[in-house]
Structures are given as structure tokens and as C-alpha cells.
């Protein structure tokens, strides 16, 4: 898991000078936690990384990988014995990548039906996290930072002082 924004971008949004380091530990912790929450919520990682994943073959020509955009495929195997040797590797000329959707489609072949008989190693993700995603994380971090004293407070009453707490989800 990588942080989806840099602290400088958050501090600019919060109008905190980069030379002011008083809140850096808290901001960095919020950035890390919210970045992890976003990746968990989206069920994917965003930063460029190498992934090796097994899949069940289903007799079709299409494999949808868990991470995208796909940058490149290092190896693709279809082996009912799950040995994944050279003789079961699918040549790069025999498949096409739909990079932005995470699809690998075989050209003139189909994946054998089986249990975890397909294995793929590939690079996916962003070298530079998209600006809209960064902005969403910045706004979530800023919200948590500005409202740190009221986390979990659902309602507050003054007469006969009462505070209601509840499970709070990120907006």
C-alpha cells in the first residue's frame, strides 16, 4: 500500500505552510490510513506494482485481472497441473491486453477449465496517481484533520448536556 498523496498537497489545501511541521505526524498518519481505506473500499491498489495471481480457467478466452490499468504482462500460464513450466506459458503474441479495463483476451485460444490453473504475473497501476483520486484523498484527510475533536460524535445537545456517539464512515 502506498500513500496516494504527498503531505505537501494536503498542507497546501489546508493552508498550512510547508515549513510548519507541527501537524506533520498527524497528517502523515491520516494520509496513510485514508489511503489504505480508499484502496480497501475500491478493492484495488493504485500505485504501480507487480502482481502474481492465480485464476480458475473457465473455458473462455477472457481473463479479468484484479488490478488495472495493466502496464505489461510478464508471464501468462494455463496449466491444469499447476506446475507453470515453459511448455504451459502462453506467448505474448497469443493474447491482447485491454489495459484500461484489466482484461487479457486470448487470440484464437481459450483458457482450460480448471481450478487455479491460470497464473499471470503483470505490472499494473499508476506511476502518477490521477489528480481526481488525489483530490478525493486530500479532502478526506482535511475533513478528518479539521474535525479531529468531533470524531464519532453523531449529535450534541446543550440542555442536560448529552453527546451521542456512533459508527462514523468516511464521506
Amino acid at each position: 500500500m502506498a500513500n496516494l498523496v504527498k503531505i505537501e498537497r494536503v498542507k497546501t489545501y489546508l493552508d498550512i505552510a510547508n515549513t510548519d511541521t507541527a501537524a506533520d505526524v498527524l497528517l502523515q498518519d491520516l494520509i496513510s490510513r485514508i489511503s489504505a481505506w480508499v484502496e480497501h473500499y475500491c478493492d484495488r491498489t493504485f500505485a504501480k506494482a507487480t502482481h502474481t495471481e492465480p485464476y480458475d480457467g473457465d473455458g473462455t478466452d477472457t481473463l479479468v485481472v484484479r488490478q488495472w490499468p495493466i502496464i505489461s504482462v510478464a508471464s501468462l500460464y494455463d496449466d491444469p497441473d499447476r506446475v507453470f513450466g515453459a511448455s504451459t506459458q502462453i506467448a505474448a503474441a497469443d493474447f491482447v491486453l485491454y489495459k484500461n479495463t484489466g482484461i487479457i483476451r486470448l487470440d484464437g485460444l481459450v483458457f482450460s477449465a480448471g481450478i487455479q490453473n491460470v497464473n499471470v504475473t503483470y505490472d499494473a497501476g499508476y506511476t502518477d496517481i490521477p489528480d481526481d483520486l488525489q483530490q478525493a484523498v486530500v479532502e478526506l484527510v482535511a475533513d478528518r484533520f479539521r474535525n479531529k475533536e468531533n470524531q464519532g460524535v453523531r449529535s450534541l445537545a446543550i440542555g442536560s448536556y448529552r453527546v451521542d456517539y456512533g459508527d462514523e464512515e468516511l464521506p
Side-chain angles (χ1 to χ4, degrees):
M1 196 282 314
N3 288 340
L4 299 176
V5 296
K6 296 194 180 305
I7 192 170
E8 294 81 13
R9 189 165 182 162
V10 173
K11 288 171 86 170
T12 298
Y13 185 83
L14 287 168
D15 201 24
I16 298 172
N18 281 326
T19 55
D20 181 352
T21 60
D24 282 8
V25 171
L26 175 58
L27 286 172
Q28 198 60 59
D29 183 56
L30 287 170
I31 290 167
S32 296
R33 290 172 186 261
I34 290 174
S35 293
W37 180 86
V38 166
E39 288 190 341
H40 178 73
Y41 181 83
C42 294
D43 195 26
R44 61 182 282 220
T45 58
F46 292 98
K48 180 184 173 194
T50 299
H51 306 274
T52 299
E53 299 167 350
Y55 291 91
D56 294 346
D58 61 0
T60 70
D61 65 351
T62 303
L63 176 66
V64 181
V65 295
R66 294 178 188 92
Q67 306 299 323
W68 46 273
I70 299 172
I71 298 166
S72 64
V73 172
S75 63
L76 177 61
Y77 296 91
D78 184 352
D79 185 354
D81 296 325
R82 294 180 291 280
V83 177
F84 307 116
S87 65
T88 61
Q89 186 168 4
I90 300 171
D94 291 332
F95 61 86
V96 175
L97 300 179
Y98 295 83
K99 293 182 177 189
N100 290 330
T101 55
I103 295 173
I104 300 171
R105 178 159 287 156
L106 297 180
D107 187 8
L109 304 170
V110 295
F111 291 105
S112 303
I115 298 171
Q116 294 196 347
N117 59 301
V118 176
N119 192 290
V120 61
T121 299
Y122 64 103
D123 288 336
Y126 298 99
T127 303
D128 297 313
I129 303 299
D131 285 334
D132 57 346
L133 179 57
Q134 286 191 53
Q135 186 61 31
V137 173
V138 165
E139 290 179 22
L140 290 170
V141 169
D143 178 68
R144 290 297 186 210
F145 180 77
R146 288 180 181 139
N147 296 301
K148 62 183 172 277
E149 303 300 325
N150 299 320
Q151 297 300 308
V153 175
R154 187 179 306 172
S155 66
L156 175 68
I158 300 300
S160 298
Y161 185 77
R162 191 180 97 220
V163 178
D164 289 328
Y165 293 93
D167 292 335
E168 184 179 19
E169 292 192 24
L170 290 171

